[in-house]
Amino acid sequence: MMSNQPRLVEVRQNVLKQNDLLARELRRRFQEADVCVVSLVSSPGSGKTAFLEKALTQLRPKFRVAALVGDLATENDAERLARSGAPVKQIVTGTICHLDAQMVENALAEWNLEELDLLFIENVGNLVCPSSYDLGEDLRLVLLSVAEGEDKPLKYPTIFNTADVAIITKIDLAEAVDFDSATAHRNIQSVRPGMKVFEVSAKTGAGMGELLQFLSARSAKPEKILAG
Ligand SMILES: Nc1nc2c(ncn2[C@@H]2O[C@H](COP(=O)(O)OP(=O)(O)OP(=O)(O)O)[C@@H](O)[C@H]2O)c(=O)[nH]1
Ligand SMILES: [Mg+2]
């Protein structure tokens, strides 16, 4: 009904505002504990968990790393990530298509942030809803796999606009799917001029070193930056 429309908009704005307040509080806690928080957003199956499996394993010798991972159902991703030996917690969202700051706060309740250097948060696979919800993170990574089509930044500009860094994943498959790297880069730059972009393969490890070096440097502990 038409008369319901303004009310719905108002409620939605209030929910978002409440999330922003909580995210601001989380960000303050993260800064106080000196933990660098990196979130990952992408469409389902772009390779967030595969990237994190490698990242947690490779960063762990030098950094105290941990991960939260959101999915509508199953603990599958937490089980995959826990094999790295890092502390991992699954957030099961049920019908909700994104993580919000309250879910992150609840998931962290039993963890001591002082004991962490880097916390990763894998969002629910979705190129739309997660863009509106600040989780208090320092850095938001948006992943785009070579098999999704070079036009995704143009079709889903908000998620690219609310992220800090883009990662083109599964580059080992680029040739098989006729991936046009120049067009993908041009499309990313057209929605988010100046955006930093990495190309990686979690399968072969290509590009992983450069990206992990970048993330290490963003951590609050400069003395631990991975060597070359
Ligand atoms: N060839 C290749 N396959 C990959 C790579 N990264 C991930 N995959 C495969 O892509 C599929 C999805 O990967 P996931 O890591 O589960 O993707 P995700 O983004 O975490 O998925 P959701 O959590 O469901 O949104 C799996 O079959 C992976 O093995 C890669 O670099 N190369
Ligand atoms: Mg996953």
Side-chain angles (χ1 to χ4, degrees):
M1 255 177 3
M2 285 298 284
S3 59
N4 276 342
Q5 229 170 357
R7 172 87 185 121
L8 277 176
V9 169
E10 203 180 301
V11 170
R12 185 170 153 73
Q13 278 169 349
N14 284 340
V15 169
L16 287 176
K17 196 170 160 210
Q18 205 177 358
N19 186 78
D20 282 344
L21 293 174
L22 191 50
R24 197 181 302 167
E25 173 58 18
L26 276 175
R27 186 166 286 114
R28 192 196 57 74
R29 280 178 54 198
F30 294 150
Q31 274 166 5
E32 211 170 81
D34 228 2
V35 54
C36 177
V37 181
V38 178
S39 77
L40 291 87
V41 292
S42 81
S43 57
S46 300
K48 298 179 293 299
T49 308
F51 165 72
L52 280 181
E53 286 178 286
K54 285 277 160 74
L56 292 176
T57 305
Q58 290 179 26
L59 290 168
R60 230 166 79 79
K62 281 209 160 186
F63 293 87
R64 297 172 301 172
V65 289
L68 302 178
V69 52
D71 282 293
L72 272 72
T74 82
E75 301 256 339
N76 292 356
D77 282 5
E79 284 166 19
R80 284 168 63 190
L81 295 176
R83 285 183 215 132
S84 67
V88 173
K89 201 167 277 183
Q90 180 82 46
I91 302 173
V92 177
T93 64
T95 55
I96 302 174
C97 55
H98 57 82
L99 292 181
D100 64 29
Q102 186 66 64
M103 295 177 200
V104 171
E105 187 187 48
N106 294 346
L108 291 174
E110 289 157 22
W111 283 1
N112 181 1
L113 292 175
E114 304 279 346
E115 291 172 2
L116 297 179
D117 298 319
L118 261 168
L119 170 68
F120 290 97
I121 306 176
E122 176 181 336
N123 215 315
V124 176
N126 186 323
L127 276 181
V128 184
C129 312
S131 60
S132 311
Y133 290 83
D134 185 1
L135 304 179
E137 68 269 69
D138 297 300
L139 198 67
R140 187 177 289 191
L141 312 179
V142 58
L143 280 63
L144 166 72
S145 77
V146 294
E148 287 167 58
E150 300 80 2
D151 63 348
K152 292 304 165 288
L154 303 179
K155 287 186 171 179
Y156 301 90
T158 313
I159 199 101
F160 282 83
N161 264 311
T162 53
D164 303 291
V165 172
I167 303 176
I168 297 171
T169 59
K170 310 192 189 181
I171 54 165
D172 57 291
L173 300 177
E175 223 174 280
V177 296
D178 284 333
F179 178 65
D180 181 346
S181 175
T183 301
H185 281 264
R186 194 170 57 245
N187 290 343
I188 292 169
Q189 296 305 321
S190 78
V191 295
R192 183 80 196 257
M195 190 174 214
K196 195 162 178 58
V197 185
F198 290 88
E199 294 193 0
V200 305
S201 166
K203 186 175 178 182
T204 66
M208 288 291 296
E210 197 192 336
L211 177 50
L212 294 184
Q213 178 75 26
F214 170 79
L215 294 178
S216 308
R218 289 296 297 250
S219 136
K221 317 281 190 317
E223 72 277 9
K224 290 192 181 173
I225 293 174
L226 293 176

